[in-house]
Amino acid sequence: MFSKILIANRGEIACRIAKTAKRLGIRVVAVYSQADAKARHVAFAHEAWCVGPAAAKESYLRGDAIIEAALKSGAQAIHPGYGFLSENEDFAAACKKAGLSFIGPPASAIRAMGSKSAAKTLMEKAGVPLVPGYHGDRQETEFLLGQSDKIGYPVLIKAAAGGGGKGMRVVEKSEDFAEALASCRREAKASFGDDHVLVEKYLSRPRHIEIQLFADTQGQCVYLFERDCSVQRRHQKVLEEAPAPGMSPERRRAMGEAAVAAAKAVGYVGAGTVEFIANTDEARAGALGGSFYFMEMNTRLQVEHPVTEMITGLDLVEWQLRVAAGEPLPLSQERLAIRGHSIEARVYAENPAKNFLPSTGTLRHLRSPDAIEFEVGPGAAPAAVRIDSGVREGDTISPYYDPMIAKLIVWGETRGVALARMATALGEFEVVGVTTNIEFLGRIVKGRAFSSGDLDTGLIERNRKELFPGAAPLRDEVLATAAFAEMSRCEAMARERAQASGDPNSPWHQVDSWRLNDTSHHALVFSEGKQHTAVTVWQAASGYRLRTPSGEFALSGEAGPDNRVHLRLDGRSIAARAVRIGMEWNIFLAGEQHRLALRDELHELESEAHGGSLAAPMPGKVIAVLVKKGARVEKGAPLVILEAMKMEHTITAPRAGKVTEIRYVAGEQVDEGVDLLLLED
Ligand code: ADP
Ligand code: ADP
Ligand code: MG
């Protein structure tokens, strides 16, 4: 076995590989880009070498610099992780040439599977079933169109060199073919430097089922069962699980044997995954139909390998290290068995509502669900909740790399138990600083289709209504938490100023001076997205009174450590967390997260600015009218929110009165100086 390895990757996978290496007593060398000097994977390693600037092309993809770091550090082997150089045959060959072991398959196997077209030709010869299509060398548009017409629509055009769902185009009819082909070629050329394509039948409602396999240098090859990765967005995986719901033992064996045949056909060594696409049975939701077809082979460790580890009790990175060191596979096919069920969710910094656009920023607050360390060995129960993360609070999600925050993996004796654990654990995952897909994942996991195992690659699209609900009015509990947190903060600030003030005449001098404003009503406007909610808080005999759009309540409570608050709202008790970043309160309550941007009168009081006229202070757009005609308002009550110069401005009541006329509605453009509404004393 090796005594020192270099990990040519970053993020969660670099940390995850390091964990196993350390468990086996192997020293770990990390590489990093200048942007990652303080990253978790660097801190986690025994030593770390900088390999270049932030851009991956100049650092994590610099095979020469990485090999040099390995040689200088005295590492004997390089683990490429996934992505980056993991499927780069030249890098695998260069490692060998430098006298280093590449922890992965031989360069020849990477090459054989590198082109989807060439791989399909090979698989056809090995007797592995393929989706009907054309994967030959001829690339003329007319010829490919003819092939598509023969296959029958819809067809899928894929980049032969493709990956990550890039370049794929679904074509519904003959007339659309040429344009889709041109666009696929453009994207393939730009992404992979190769515009070779293949066309195949586009299956409707298929499932993505892949087989994990392992081969050693002694010629043994086993399959570690399947993973179902059907829940996808833009042809990329979102949730993965093992075993696949509805899988029969016969089909499992057939797919496993087909995968082993695929690996043997290319002289495979190490961990690999053969991806299949399978028909769903139209008659029985969730059941697997008759046929399955080879899609591609990924010649590396897969992102979702933990679900296989959870159901087999094995450490796949340990197996990779043993195989690369020349040891035989630790177990034979007969000794492999499935126990329980595991699900993985990929927690990303992205905005599902904006077509999953990546989100960047600093992780100002990060709480993961409690994990139980991964256990291995016969008889050991797998961890119930596992988190593979590459970041810590304070780290940034930068535009340079994949915006994955962590993988959340759960295990249960049954799928039902695993589902419940996943739903609970997602509710405990708190992130402030970037937009995440956590709530979206929660909706999928709790949704009818996923929880009943009715899986196929169209699940997200088909359940859009359920998965992308519109904004609901803020619940009183959420408003109460935010209002209480804000009031507590202001009181604490007033106390601090009182203590710091040396001026005996300062209004802040007395400890309770803030309460000089006792009788005044504090009007707060919380904005979540485009929804603006006004609440009023004022001091009462014990605690506060709170008025929300749905009523008036008694509110009291305590602020605890670590941003926790415990509240009583009339009879209800609430335990929540409230994290303030700038002018935004992030409220975590019963598994929900709300980002409430605040505009409030207290700040105006602090800065001694006054709300004044009812006129628009500058030209802009009305984004919300917070009062109705006829409403009685108090001095300082927020009336209208105006957006101008990319900022929002709140127009407040200059005095108490009754709103007699509302002159503009949300969405209207207004000129500077126009009266937005009329107020009568
Ligand atoms: P990549 O290299 O981008 O991973 P794949 O060939 O593995 O490309 O396909 C990615 C995803 O696209 C699959 O998981 C599946 O959801 C979908 N897909 C691929 N081929 C087909 C097909 N013939 N019919 C329907 N969906 C497909
Ligand atoms: P899989 O087929 O294993 O599920 P994907 O195709 O979804 O994998 O993901 C592989 C992708 O992961 C790469 O194309 C790359 O964009 C991304 N990636 C590479 N390295 C890292 C990393 N260290 N952390 C997170 N993502 C990474
Ligand atoms: Mg794939």
Side-chain angles (χ1 to χ4, degrees), residues 9-14 82-84 163-164 210 236-237 240 275 296 298 300-304 346 348 402 404:
N9 215 301
R10 65 181 303 283
E12 67 86 17
I13 192 63
Y82 55 72
F84 297 134
E210 57 185 35
Q236 277 201 300
K237 299 157 189 167
E240 302 105 342
E275 295 190 333
E296 64 166 343
N298 291 326
R300 55 173 161 90
L301 191 66
Q302 203 95 333
V303 174
E304 58 277 17
R346 298 190 187 191
Y348 272 105
D402 192 275
M404 184 148 74

Side-chain angles (χ1 to χ4, degrees), residues 116 158 163-165 168 200-201 203 208 232 275 296 457:
K116 289 188 206 293
K158 284 187 191 179
M168 297 212 291
E200 62 186 32
K201 180 82 191 159
L203 306 183
H208 173 118
Q232 302 184 348
E275 295 190 333
E296 64 166 343
T457 59

Side-chain angles (χ1 to χ4, degrees), residues 11-33:
E12 67 86 17
I13 192 63
C15 296
R16 189 263 164 273
I17 294 163
K19 210 175 247 178
T20 292
K22 286 182 169 183
R23 189 170 61 74
L24 299 176
I26 299 171
R27 291 183 62 80
V28 172
V29 182
V31 291
Y32 62 97
S33 71

Side-chain angles (χ1 to χ4, degrees), residues 278-316:
N279 277 323
T280 44
D281 189 331
E282 296 290 340
R284 290 177 302 142
L288 280 164
S291 29
F292 60 88
Y293 309 101
F294 172 86
M295 257 191 313
E296 64 166 343
M297 179 168 183
N298 291 326
T299 54
R300 55 173 161 90
L301 191 66
Q302 203 95 333
V303 174
E304 58 277 17
H305 74 277
V307 294
T308 300
E309 297 186 321
M310 300 290 261
I311 61 155
T312 57
L314 300 170
D315 179 337
L316 299 197

Side-chain angles (χ1 to χ4, degrees), residues 233-234 348-360 403 435:
R233 51 139 173 83
R234 289 202 245 110
Y348 272 105
E350 66 180 17
N351 189 344
K354 287 194 180 152
N355 200 20
F356 303 95
L357 193 73
S359 165
T360 56
T435 304

